[in-house]
Amino acid sequence: MLGRRDDQAATAQPTGPEGPRLARRRARGRVSVPVGLAVVATLGALATGCGKSHDEAKPAPKPSTTASPPRPGATADAKDGLDPAHLPKGWSLVAWPQDHDVPIFAEQAPEDGTTGGGSDATASSASSNSPPTGAAADRATRTLANPNAQGAPLALLVEHYDADWLRVSLPVRPNGTTGWIRRAGVRLGATPFSLAVDRAHHELTVFKDGKPSRVYPVGIGTGSTPTPAGRFYLAELLKPASPAGPWGPYAFGLSGFSDVVTNFNGAEGIIGLHGTNQPERVGTDVSMGCIRLRNEDITELADLLPVGTPVTIT
């Protein structure tokens, strides 16, 4: 599990999503070069329970704060050759609000009221692509802090683009909740990557431009603390102080939460995608919901994937 931010830790300075224009990259034949959204985040209190069963789980010392290196990014704007309303196949739009407090409007939880979106791993079909109007456009249902609780810049996966509004996936309970944010004051980025986690086969597949690119073995949650199914996204990238620790050299925090663990070591049960100091257990049901990879694999993904990358777990 990914925990809350350590209030005593020093905060790293975030770097926003900026980068070369996509049109230039295409003209130079460099589309195959990974397009990333830069993120620098502090490491909060991670619970070792992410890699143990409920009965064995014990709080671990909080690692010191370090930051992952920024990576180049691409803005999503028509003037840069990337029209947010018409992305290339397999690409996803990511919103980076610039305000410290981000109001959410017309919030909607999954229709069935579950937290995982069901076995089909899809968001609620009742989510509307019509921007809020009237009172719904004037009254916020909640406000998200930016940076988030882990000290990382707030990133939101865009589900629908409108000239004045964006419907986004929210990193809140219940899983699958969406809401609307105003387009003004939001910087847009795009990612050509997506991830698919197959729990039955203990595999994570990376897609680029909608096509499978590489496959990694993963460890997932146990029967009593399963990894939830659903559509999520990489909400933050954290770098533990010790790469030899239980979370390995890198840990992505997902936008989703455990359906079972709601409070552990001061955390809210955030699902993580991270390395491990028990590589022999990758490929098994071992964690409290997190997705574990070999350290060389998570390092490769940390260099490749931008924050905001969609993740589908089935």
Side-chain angles (χ1 to χ4, degrees), residues 2-286:
L2 299 190
R4 296 182 183 275
R5 179 181 173 189
D6 185 351
D7 293 335
Q8 302 303 317
T11 303
Q13 295 299 315
T15 301
E18 297 185 32
R21 298 186 178 186
L22 182 63
R24 274 185 207 165
R25 295 173 67 88
R26 285 175 172 162
R28 295 173 185 171
R30 296 170 58 189
V31 178
S32 61
V33 177
V35 180
L37 303 181
V39 59
V40 178
T42 60
L43 182 67
L46 302 183
T48 54
C50 197
K52 298 182 178 181
S53 70
H54 252 316
D55 294 337
E56 298 172 329
K58 295 179 181 179
K62 297 179 180 180
S64 60
T65 299
T66 57
S68 59
R71 301 192 303 278
T75 57
D77 200 313
K79 71 177 183 296
D80 288 328
L82 182 61
D83 181 0
H86 302 90
L87 294 176
K89 182 179 180 180
W91 286 57
S92 297
L93 195 63
V94 183
W96 296 82
Q98 300 301 293
D99 294 335
H100 291 294
D101 297 307
V102 182
I104 305 298
F105 299 86
E107 182 178 321
Q108 187 169 13
E111 190 174 37
D112 60 4
T114 63
T115 60
S119 58
D120 56 357
T122 59
S124 171
S125 59
S127 296
S128 172
N129 286 336
S130 299
T133 58
D138 295 328
R139 187 180 305 111
T141 54
R142 78 165 73 218
T143 299
L144 296 182
N146 185 25
N148 67 15
Q150 284 65 247
L154 181 65
L156 301 169
L157 178 64
V158 178
E159 300 289 354
H160 182 77
Y161 174 87
D162 183 84
D164 299 316
W165 292 88
L166 302 170
R167 183 166 66 83
V168 296
S169 177
L170 299 176
V172 302
R173 292 182 184 274
N175 292 336
T177 299
T178 63
W180 291 84
I181 61 173
R182 297 187 186 278
R183 171 68 177 86
V186 175
R187 300 174 70 179
L188 294 176
T191 170
F193 296 101
S194 63
L195 303 179
V197 177
D198 183 337
R199 296 176 299 175
H201 294 91
H202 296 87
E203 288 182 345
L204 181 152
T205 301
V206 178
F207 290 82
K208 185 172 185 286
D209 298 323
K211 300 177 182 179
S213 173
R214 56 193 77 183
V215 179
Y216 301 93
V218 296
I220 62 170
T222 65
S224 60
T225 57
T227 300
R231 175 175 163 83
F232 311 103
Y233 65 92
L234 303 180
E236 61 206 353
L237 176 60
L238 312 174
K239 187 175 181 182
S242 172
W247 313 285
Y250 291 99
F252 283 105
L254 272 63
S255 60
F257 300 79
S258 168
D259 292 334
V260 178
V261 182
T262 58
N263 187 1
F264 186 89
N265 200 24
E268 294 182 2
I270 299 173
I271 298 300
L273 178 74
H274 61 76
T276 179
N277 58 2
Q278 296 179 315
E280 71 280 359
R281 305 190 74 181
V282 169
T284 68
D285 297 354
V286 62

